[in-house]
């Protein structure tokens, strides 16, 4: 069981005009999970069944005040309860040493009950089949073909309204939000080398998404607001590369280089313009490199992490927001001077990477309203040091 209680506020004052805004949000959430599993195995087969029950609760109260006068917000007071049961059955068959077939399905049934500014009760049922075929033609190579259907998890925070005074945006809660459903087809190749110490994994996947969760305009008595909702179908293609390369043969004893990269392309129909665009929040490229070296004589380890530049874009009904982070370099060193002692020094953001936010603001609905202005903000926090000292007592 997990519980949280958040109480936060934001205030903005304009000295020149003597105007002020105050936003306050009180949010309580809880999650309770109970799970049981039964497994039987034979020489060439394995059967596994499980049953899981979950109770999720959100209690949210939001308020926006402008110059001391309460401003109306859609879905300001919300209580959401989700009771979810998921049953699963999985069979694993090994017809030959080189071949493995996993097939099964999960079945999810949930009851959503919402009260407050909106009263709504909804029953949902989703089958989630999955099949995985593995082939190992040699001791170092393995191919995997995966076909599965996934159902996304709802973010209960999207049911309630929120505001960002610094960005000047109000996001409406959506009482009729449903999870997205995704069919995924993936082909992966994995090869081990250097006596199994090194590995390379290359994966290609295609996703067909139903009821995609993204941004859409919501119009009500209070006006038109941006909201998170289901905008229709979408698709996504990804190519992922992972490499673990021991550096012994390059005369770096105890050295290891890890490379990770994901190329991504997604498309959906923009509900504001009717044109095709990427899915909000999808990063076209994610890449990182990690180097570390063990130094047994000094009981130490050191290394560096590089996170390459990346960006993501969100498409709201009246603006397009693009966040870009520059390349970042971190350096660390670990030392175990005696039994039970652990020291770690982490020098982060040596490149002083910039966080840049670009917002294209429109006078109303994008596609029909004119572009009013473009705002660009850049934030730099500089390098900083993190020190960890830990002492373990007992065995």
């Amino acid at each position: 069981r997990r519980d949280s209680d958040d109480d936060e506020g934001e205030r903005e004052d304009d000295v020149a005009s003597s105007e002020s805004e105050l936003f306050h949000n009180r949010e309580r959430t809880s999650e309770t999970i109970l799970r049981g599993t039964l497994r039987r195995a034979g020489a060439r087969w394995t059967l596994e069944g499980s049953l899981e029950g979950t109770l999720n609760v959100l209690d949210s109260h939001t308020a926006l005040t402008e110059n001391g006068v309460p401003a109306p917000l859609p879905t300001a007071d919300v209580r959401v309860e989700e009771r979810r049961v998921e049953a699963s059955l999985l069979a694993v068959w090994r017809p030959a040493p080189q071949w493995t077939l996993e097939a099964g399905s999960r079945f999810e049934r949930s009851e959503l009950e919402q009260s407050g500014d909106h009263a709504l009760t909804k029953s949902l049922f989703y089958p989630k089949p999955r099949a995985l075929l593995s082939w190992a033609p040699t001791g170092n190579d393995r191919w995997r073909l995966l076909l599965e259907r996934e159902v996304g998890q709802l973010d209960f925070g999207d049911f309630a309204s929120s505001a960002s005074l610094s960005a000047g945006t109000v996001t409406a809660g959506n009482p009729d939000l449903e999870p997205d459903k995704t069919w995924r087809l993936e082909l992966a190749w994995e090869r081990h080398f250097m006596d199994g110490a090194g590995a390379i994994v290359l994966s290609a996947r295609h996703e067909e998404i139903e009821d995609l969760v993204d941004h859409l305009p919501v119009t009500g008595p209070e006006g038109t607001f941006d909201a998170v909702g289901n905008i229709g179908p979408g698709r996504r293609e990804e190519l992922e590369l992972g490499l673990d390369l021991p550096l012994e043969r390059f005369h770096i004893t105890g050295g290891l280089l890890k490379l990770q990269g994901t190329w991504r392309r997604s498309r959906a129909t923009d509900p504001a313009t009717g044109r095709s665009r990427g899915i909000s929040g999808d990063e076209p490229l994610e890449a990182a490199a990690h180097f570390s070296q063990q130094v047994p004589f000094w009981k130490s380890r050191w290394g560096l992490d590089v996170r390459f530049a990346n960006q993501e874009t969100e498409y709201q009904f009246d603006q397009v927001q693009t966040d870009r982070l520059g390349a970042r370099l971190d350096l660390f060193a670990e030392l175990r001077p005696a039994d039970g002692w652990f020291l770690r020094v982490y020098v982060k953001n040596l490149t002083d990477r910039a966080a840049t936010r670009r917002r294209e603001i429109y006078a109303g609905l994008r596609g029909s309203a004119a572009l009013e202005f473009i705002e660009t903000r850049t934030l730099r926090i500089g390098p900083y040091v993190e020190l960890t000292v830990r002492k373990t007592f007992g065995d």
Side-chain angles (χ1 to χ4, degrees):
R1 179 182 171 90
R2 293 182 297 180
D3 298 273
S4 68
D5 192 340
D6 296 321
D7 194 343
E8 60 181 12
E10 186 179 356
R11 181 184 181 93
E12 186 173 276
D13 295 287
D14 191 323
V15 178
S17 63
S18 300
E19 294 183 349
S20 66
E21 287 185 315
L22 176 63
F23 174 74
H24 181 259
N25 173 244
R26 176 71 182 271
E27 188 173 282
R28 295 178 179 175
T29 60
S30 66
E31 181 181 51
T32 305
I33 300 176
L34 182 63
R35 178 181 174 87
T37 302
L38 181 63
R39 191 168 186 242
R40 292 288 302 274
R44 291 189 175 184
W45 58 268
T46 302
L47 287 176
E48 182 178 299
S50 68
L51 186 65
E52 178 179 293
T54 305
L55 173 63
N56 289 311
V57 179
L58 165 73
D59 233 322
S60 177
H61 305 278
T62 58
L64 178 63
T65 303
E66 297 178 343
N67 301 320
V69 179
L73 285 176
T75 325
D77 295 296
V78 176
R79 178 179 173 84
V80 182
E81 291 189 14
E82 180 194 35
R83 291 173 289 276
R84 185 172 70 245
V85 176
E86 182 175 270
S88 69
L89 181 63
L90 175 67
V92 181
W93 180 40
R94 292 170 289 274
Q98 298 89 356
W99 293 90
T100 302
L101 175 63
E102 300 178 21
S105 183
R106 292 175 292 162
F107 302 91
E108 177 185 311
R109 182 176 181 83
S110 60
E111 299 281 341
L112 278 173
E113 184 176 340
Q114 187 174 163
S115 58
D117 289 345
H118 294 272
L120 183 67
T121 301
K122 184 183 297 186
S123 297
L124 304 172
F125 175 75
Y126 302 112
K128 296 183 280 188
R130 181 178 187 271
L132 174 64
L133 180 63
S134 299
W135 176 46
T138 69
N140 293 323
D141 292 277
R142 180 177 294 274
W143 291 84
R144 297 189 298 271
L145 180 63
L146 171 67
L147 176 64
E148 65 179 352
R149 185 181 192 241
E150 278 197 351
V151 177
Q153 292 296 314
L154 292 174
D155 184 348
F156 280 5
D158 294 331
F159 285 77
S161 297
S162 62
S164 172
L165 302 187
S166 59
T169 60
V170 174
T171 301
N174 186 352
D176 203 27
L177 182 64
E178 292 191 8
D180 51 26
K181 280 74 71 177
T182 301
W183 278 103
R184 178 179 297 112
L185 180 64
E186 177 177 307
L187 178 64
W189 169 63
E190 179 179 346
R191 180 174 178 81
H192 293 267
F193 52 89
M194 298 178 66
D195 298 325
I200 182 171
V201 180
L202 182 63
S203 305
R205 65 182 64 94
H206 173 76
E207 297 179 347
E208 292 288 339
I209 307 170
E210 177 186 355
D211 294 327
L212 175 67
V213 175
D214 207 311
H215 291 269
L216 49 70
V218 173
T219 301
E222 302 89 356
T224 301
F225 297 91
D226 189 77
V228 174
N230 304 105
I231 69 169
R235 67 179 185 272
R236 180 185 290 121
E237 289 84 31
E238 291 181 334
L239 185 63
E240 186 173 342
L241 172 67
L243 174 66
D244 289 359
L245 179 63
L247 301 176
E248 302 283 347
R249 64 173 54 184
F250 301 100
H251 309 293
I252 303 177
T253 304
L256 177 65
L257 178 65
K258 298 172 70 73
L259 301 177
Q260 298 169 320
T262 301
W263 170 86
R264 181 180 296 110
R265 183 180 186 273
S266 61
R267 307 307 294 171
T269 299
D270 193 322
T273 66
R275 294 191 290 268
S276 179
R277 57 141 169 101
I279 296 174
S280 289
D282 274 9
E283 299 180 25
L285 179 64
E286 295 180 75
H290 310 277
F291 166 79
S292 63
Q293 184 182 21
Q294 300 279 356
V295 187
F297 180 79
W298 297 101
K299 297 181 180 180
S300 63
R301 186 172 77 103
W302 76 281
L304 54 88
D305 299 324
V306 179
R307 292 173 176 82
F308 296 96
N310 66 292
Q311 73 175 37
E312 64 179 48
T313 303
E314 288 195 352
Y315 300 87
Q316 301 181 19
F317 86 99
D318 62 347
Q319 65 175 281
V320 177
Q321 176 177 298
T322 301
D323 292 324
R324 187 182 190 279
L325 292 174
R328 170 171 168 164
L329 173 64
D330 301 334
L331 179 67
F332 71 89
E334 299 173 351
L335 178 65
R336 300 179 185 272
D339 291 342
W341 284 96
F342 173 80
L343 306 177
R344 180 184 177 97
V345 178
Y346 215 146
V347 184
K348 297 186 175 183
N349 199 28
L350 284 168
T351 51
D352 189 16
R353 72 169 175 177
T356 302
R357 171 168 293 179
R358 184 180 189 270
R359 298 169 64 211
E360 301 175 8
I361 312 296
Y362 292 79
L365 187 69
R366 288 186 297 107
S368 58
L371 177 65
E372 280 194 319
F373 62 91
I374 297 176
E375 175 189 270
T376 301
R377 297 183 181 184
T378 300
L379 173 67
R380 293 181 181 272
I381 62 174
Y384 59 98
V385 178
E386 181 181 285
L387 175 65
T388 301
V389 180
R390 186 171 68 238
K391 174 69 172 83
T392 303
F393 299 92
D395 295 335

